[in-house]
Amino acid sequence: MPTVMTPSAAVAAHRCKHCGGILLHADLRHRPVSFMDAALAHHLRRACCTPLLPAPPPTTASPTSTSPAAAPAADGAARWLDFEPPLAALLRAQQVEAALALLARGEGTHGLSLDAPLCGGATLLHLAARTDSVPLVDATYSAAAATRGSQDCVHRNTPGGRTPLHEAAAHGARQAAAALIARGGEALALALDWEGCTPAELARRHGDRALGGVLAEAAARAAGGASGGGGEAGEGEGEGEGALSEEELKVESQWRRAELKSRRRLALKIEGRESLRAAHILRQIWTVAECKWVLEQTLDAAAMEGWQACLSCPASLLHVSLRPPFASTASLPQAKRHENHSTFDIALWRAPAAFEFARTSLVSTIIPAMSRVFDIPLEKLVLREAFVIRYSPQTQASLGVHRDGTLLSCNILLNQPSDFEGGGTCFSWPIEVHASDGQTWRERGEWCTTADYEGSSGASGGGSGDKTHWAVHGRQGDCVIHCGQIPHGAGTVTKGVRFVLVAFVDELVMAEETPHERRSALRSRASSAVSTPADDAPPEWLLAPSAAEPPEEAASIPGASARRCISFGALDLPTVVAPERKLRYRDVSIKRLPQAPS
Ligand SMILES: O=C(O)CCC(=O)C(=O)O
Ligand SMILES: [Fe+2]
């Protein structure tokens, strides 16, 4: 069991509510766990200093809207990156000893229900299952079962349909898998995730054939007991098909990678999806007071971190734990600016309270609205990231036409339209814009489809034929939602500053074939293939479909491939640093938008 943070440990940040100090896992690398524990205790005891973070905003919101006051109650303790409690951060970093110590003390969760979904939808039990520590699985299980008063927690799925046993299998955590089965029974081995994979399947895919065999046997026994033989998991897992050879496993994993890639491409295709062609404005999603508060929080974070702050930037590591309280944020070191960035923004998780508020609002209101207007089942929509952009003539004045890396996007104007000139979310062709006022969608739950296109500021001169972009100008607190695959950008701000909060939302697409069907197809294709592929090269027929396609831009960007893969299947996002802004786009700066007409 490691006693120090390894370089591969998740980089996570923690901002103390009392002193505003930031404690990064990065700072704790190569230090003993006891150091982290001491750091935590120091802050949890409020030994650090006086409060720096401002109080929540005045609440003038309508009763049904989310407001910071409605956000999970502050518990006087620390909040971690993505609002996961310290216990989750420790589990993600495989810090078993420290996690057990926190659990034993009843600390580390800070009021969060032990089976509440964390970032990406996993629960603490999912995370504990990965560690392969039986005491940790048992402790987490007991705590979670006590919260729910039932054994439901072992069945709980992440959005990708993975149970804790799937997680254990995918991480080769044999002891944890056994502990989970002991608690929840062998029927757990029958569960299928959204890819149609049983835990046994995942174990084999991740190279643990022994665990795969054990789980397949458990599944076969459970299927036999449940249905008199041959349940779903029995197929392909039981005796009939036999275990895969090394070569078959290799081919299958190559196939899966190619399939994930093409599925992702497919998921971003919008041909024939009429509902995605219109943009929508949710009027007054946030009140003026809420917008001001979110902006203040963001500016506060930006004053400490700098815009475009990035954890790989050495300057951001200067904010270490156990630092004495600072009197003024002005004295803090600024994160170094990255040159050649196309945007000027800050990841919202750097302003934790604002992020918590925005995430609640996104999940409870905006994403359901997206589901309705774009006709996509709610359970398929996942929030990928949120950040605030600052546009001004002196820094970044506009954003070139691009497609986002996700299917859906939204943006909320945080300051007043009178604070700047120009701006607006611009589209390359005229699109229908539907607006709904707060009352309509809040109280009647209806989507009003009144066309309310607020303006089409085109290129200067000429008639409508000369227009080169069509701008939607929201008011402060309005949320513009649209398909991120429609070419769009941000109009030039010619005066003042425009602040928008942007969030990206993905639609999850399930595999059409079950692994069993896939394997049968692979085998029949392989047996009919004329030539034998070279040892280390995937068979030609396997690569042919994707090789014909142009390489995806993201593939050449460090860090981007991980993001691409997590769109499907394993949905529990690791606690990753928000990538640099330019990684968010598929087509970066196809062209700049023209200046707004004077
Ligand atoms: O600023 C805007 O209105 C649009 C921003 C945008 O498209 C993006 O950040 O991807
Ligand atoms: Fe965009």
Side-chain angles (χ1 to χ4, degrees):
M1 221 223 30
T3 52
V4 293
M5 294 290 246
T6 62
S8 62
V11 176
H14 149 81
R15 182 192 297 272
C16 175
K17 186 178 164 78
H18 313 302
C19 70
I22 294 166
L23 186 151
L24 296 170
H25 271 186
D27 298 324
L28 297 164
R29 285 176 196 168
H30 313 300
R31 297 197 194 228
V33 168
S34 58
F35 179 89
M36 181 165 180
D37 216 26
L40 269 178
H42 175 82
H43 287 276
L44 293 178
R45 280 199 306 270
R46 305 184 187 205
C48 39
C49 61
T50 48
L52 238 196
L53 295 182
T59 49
T60 51
S62 74
T64 46
S65 76
T66 45
S67 70
D75 53 14
R79 290 282 177 200
W80 286 64
L81 179 61
D82 285 333
F83 294 91
E84 295 187 332
L87 180 58
L90 290 175
L91 292 176
R92 287 191 193 279
Q94 305 265 322
Q95 297 288 306
V96 174
E97 217 172 72
L100 276 170
L102 275 188
L103 266 172
R105 292 205 303 251
E107 286 176 14
T109 60
H110 303 121
L112 182 88
S113 151
L114 271 164
D115 68 343
L118 302 164
C119 173
T123 64
L124 288 170
L125 190 56
H126 284 89
L127 302 185
R130 294 177 190 171
T131 64
D132 204 21
S133 156
V134 174
L136 202 47
V137 168
D138 280 344
T140 314
Y141 179 89
S142 305
T147 319
R148 283 179 83 82
S150 75
Q151 294 205 340
D152 280 2
C153 50
V154 276
H155 296 284
R156 243 188 116 95
N157 287 340
T158 63
R162 288 195 178 178
T163 61
L165 187 59
H166 277 107
E167 287 299 317
H171 289 78
R174 297 181 186 183
Q175 321 245 28
L180 286 165
I181 287 182
R183 294 277 196 167
E186 289 190 319
L188 291 180
L190 288 168
L192 297 177
D193 71 8
W194 281 17
E195 304 249 292
C197 284
T198 57
E201 180 71 35
L202 284 187
R204 285 174 179 155
R205 188 185 287 171
H206 289 83
D208 194 337
R209 302 184 65 195
L211 179 58
V214 169
L215 291 171
E217 278 167 24
R221 276 195 299 274
S227 62
E232 267 185 291
E235 294 176 40
E237 304 293 352
E239 297 141 28
E241 211 173 56
L244 292 183
S245 68
E246 288 298 330
E247 186 53 32
E248 283 172 325
L249 274 173
K250 205 164 113 190
V251 168
E252 193 185 2
S253 94
Q254 287 167 336
W255 188 93
R256 184 178 138 78
R257 275 203 300 276
E259 194 261 356
L260 279 174
K261 216 167 157 182
S262 71
R263 194 140 49 95
R264 164 127 183 120
R265 256 197 298 269
L266 205 70
L268 295 180
K269 285 213 177 345
I270 57 172
E271 284 80 31
R273 300 185 67 174
E274 280 311 308
S275 61
L276 294 176
R277 300 213 159 263
H280 303 260
I281 306 178
L282 283 169
R283 294 262 180 242
Q284 290 290 285
I285 186 78
W286 293 346
T287 63
V288 168
E290 286 167 337
C291 288
K292 277 189 179 160
W293 178 80
V294 168
L295 187 54
E296 272 167 28
Q297 297 278 304
T298 310
L299 294 177
D300 186 38
M304 291 200 288
E305 320 285 348
W307 290 89
Q308 300 167 10
C310 156
L311 281 186
S312 63
C313 168
S316 65
L317 299 184
L318 293 176
H319 308 292
V320 293
S321 58
L322 304 176
R323 191 158 47 76
F326 38 81
S328 140
T329 54
S331 62
L332 287 171
Q334 293 287 299
K336 224 185 225 157
R337 301 270 188 275
H338 293 261
E339 283 168 21
N340 306 322
H341 263 230
S342 58
T343 54
F344 203 76
D345 66 18
I346 182 163
L348 197 59
W349 60 261
R350 288 184 169 279
F355 184 29
E356 185 161 309
F357 167 65
R359 188 152 84 162
T360 309
S361 175
L362 278 155
V363 168
S364 65
T365 312
I366 301 171
I367 295 180
M370 286 175 160
S371 155
R372 186 178 310 185
V373 299
F374 296 129
D375 200 18
I376 299 172
L378 185 57
E379 64 274 16
K380 289 193 168 188
L381 295 180
V382 285
L383 177 61
R384 287 286 179 225
E385 61 178 310
F387 51 97
V388 172
I389 312 179
R390 180 187 194 276
Y391 297 98
S392 75
Q394 293 76 30
T395 53
Q396 178 193 351
S398 68
L399 183 58
V401 177
H402 63 275
R403 291 187 177 87
D404 299 324
T406 53
L407 185 71
L408 307 177
S409 304
C410 67
N411 64 69
I412 299 172
L413 183 63
L414 294 179
N415 59 339
Q416 292 180 26
S418 58
D419 291 344
F420 59 90
E421 286 174 13
T425 307
C426 300
F427 296 90
S428 300
W429 58 69
I431 69 167
E432 222 178 289
V433 178
H434 298 176
S436 216
D437 63 42
Q439 212 175 358
T440 313
W441 55 263
R442 274 207 183 95
E443 285 165 24
R444 295 221 302 273
E446 282 168 14
W447 191 261
C448 156
T449 51
T450 322
D452 189 14
Y453 198 2
E454 276 214 330
S456 55
S457 60
S460 50
S464 58
D466 289 343
K467 289 189 193 309
T468 56
H469 67 281
W470 284 259
V472 177
H473 295 277
R475 301 175 205 144
Q476 188 176 24
D478 283 357
C479 177
V480 177
I481 61 184
H482 64 94
C483 170
Q485 298 308 303
I486 294 179
H488 65 281
T492 308
V493 169
T494 51
K495 197 171 164 196
V497 185
R498 171 179 180 247
F499 289 102
V500 278
L501 183 149
V502 175
F504 292 146
V505 173
D506 243 338
E507 178 189 17
L508 303 171
V509 178
M510 292 182 232
E512 282 179 4
E513 291 172 314
T514 65
H516 177 62
E517 290 163 343
R518 181 188 306 164
R519 193 167 301 157
S520 308
L522 279 169
R523 282 185 167 155
S524 64
R525 284 160 95 178
S527 61
S528 63
V530 192
S531 61
T532 316
D535 272 359
D536 55 348
E540 225 167 277
W541 53 261
L542 175 66
L543 293 183
S546 53
E549 309 229 8
E552 268 188 288
E553 184 176 343
S556 61
I557 301 171
S561 58
R563 297 181 58 72
R564 209 171 56 229
C565 292
I566 55 169
S567 292
F568 307 97
L571 295 166
D572 178 30
L573 286 158
T575 311
V576 288
V577 176
E580 293 174 44
R581 175 84 181 136
K582 61 188 171 191
L583 305 187
R584 292 189 181 116
Y585 301 126
R586 291 200 303 144
D587 308 316
V588 182
S589 294
I590 297 170
K591 62 173 182 176
R592 303 304 296 180
L593 287 166
Q595 290 283 314
S598 49

